[in-house]
Amino acid sequence: MKTLRQSLGYLIAGILLYFLIKPFLQTRIELKDATFQIHWGWLVCSFGAILFYWSVYLNPFATLLSGITEKHVPFRNAFTLFHLANITRYLPGRIWGVVRLLALSHQFGISKTAVGSSLTLHVGIETALGGLIGLSLLFSPKMRDTAVGMLDKISGHTTLLSLVCIGILIGTLFLIPKVSTHAREFLKTLTSLGQHSRLWMNVIAGHILLWICQGFAFFLFVQSFAPVQWTDAGVLTACFAFAWVIGFLSFLTPGGLGIREGLLGLLLANYMPAPQATLVALLCRIWMLSAEIILAGVAFALNRRVKRQQKTP
């Protein structure tokens, strides 16, 4: 069994590496002309900021868990639970992160319904706010034409695919009794949480702060490769949010790999040469994935420590 787990771990690592390297291989000709200097000070600061973001990312999730279960869920438990499962979302299929999260929920004494409902609300609010931030590009004179052109190109197939997936999902909710039961429980959860206005205010405020933190980290990251004005921090945050939301809504690749980087490269081309923008967009994925891997390692260590303490008489 131990050998099987190790082999599975190597397989997952290989799949992640493939999807990470694939965009570089597809754009290798264009990247030959991308030469620039790295400002290591800004890069280190940006990595510290994105590490902080991923560390506190679970605060709204933990708040929702506490509200749904009607008991205090320690932030440490939410942190460990989420980051143990988060890295598997890059596997093909887009569902393995959620499957892993639900499978681990019993270790922390939390029901799958509570975890699933909290995650749905958490990601839903994050995506909605990201969409609003991304749409602000339409009000930026510098970015409006690029954003509109991108929407014209991707709106057709993305909208159709999204509608098909939503239709399948809704049909599944009604056709499969077990899934239908969980859907009804989720609706009951929303009804019960509707009375807690303070909880919703804390969650929404938390997500607004998270987007500010993530946008600031991304601005520092771009600053590491190209000189940009501090007044452009808001627009760059909107660029990242726009690419993030489209990548998230895409059902074609795990974690939006390739799609997010392509859109981000087009948007960043307004601030630097196109080859450089493409490379910065691809390096952005490595930058974020590195932080996720580090925190997954921390979560793994915390989980092993808890298990060791439980075994000790």
Side-chain angles (χ1 to χ4, degrees), residues 20 23-24 31 34 36 38 43 218 221 225 261 264 268 276-290:
L20 186 61
F24 284 94
L31 295 178
F36 51 88
I38 300 176
L43 185 60
F218 178 70
F221 177 77
F225 300 95
E261 287 72 33
L264 197 55
L268 290 177
Q276 182 177 347
T278 300
L279 184 56
V280 170
L282 294 174
L283 291 175
C284 180
R285 174 68 73 170
I286 297 178
W287 171 70
M288 293 198 69
L289 184 58
S290 299

Side-chain angles (χ1 to χ4, degrees), residues 270-307:
N270 289 277
Y271 291 91
M272 61 190 77
Q276 182 177 347
T278 300
L279 184 56
V280 170
L282 294 174
L283 291 175
C284 180
R285 174 68 73 170
I286 297 178
W287 171 70
M288 293 198 69
L289 184 58
S290 299
E292 293 178 58
I293 291 174
I294 289 174
L295 292 178
V298 172
F300 179 76
L302 289 173
N303 193 45
R304 288 192 62 181
R305 182 178 178 183
V306 170
K307 288 183 176 180

Side-chain angles (χ1 to χ4, degrees), residues 176-194:
I176 302 178
K178 188 174 182 179
V179 178
S180 179
T181 300
H182 288 302
R184 287 195 297 269
E185 291 178 354
F186 174 67
L187 292 176
K188 290 179 181 178
T189 299
L190 285 180
T191 303
S192 62
L193 287 179

Side-chain angles (χ1 to χ4, degrees), residues 24-44:
F24 284 94
L25 296 178
Q26 292 174 336
T27 56
R28 61 186 181 278
I29 298 177
E30 183 180 6
L31 295 178
K32 289 181 180 179
D33 299 326
T35 57
F36 51 88
Q37 293 183 342
I38 300 176
H39 193 297
W40 292 102
W42 289 125
L43 185 60
V44 171

Side-chain angles (χ1 to χ4, degrees), residues 30 36 137 142-143 146-147 150 215 217-228 232-243 259-285 287:
E30 183 180 6
F36 51 88
L137 289 177
K142 188 174 184 179
M143 307 295 293
T146 303
M150 292 166 61
F218 178 70
F219 170 78
L220 293 179
F221 177 77
V222 176
Q223 186 82 296
S224 306
F225 300 95
V228 289
D232 290 327
V235 177
L236 287 173
T237 299
C239 291
F240 182 84
F242 182 89
I259 294 177
R260 184 184 303 173
E261 287 72 33
L263 297 178
L264 197 55
L266 290 174
L267 292 170
L268 290 177
N270 289 277
Y271 291 91
M272 61 190 77
Q276 182 177 347
T278 300
L279 184 56
V280 170
L282 294 174
L283 291 175
C284 180
R285 174 68 73 170
W287 171 70

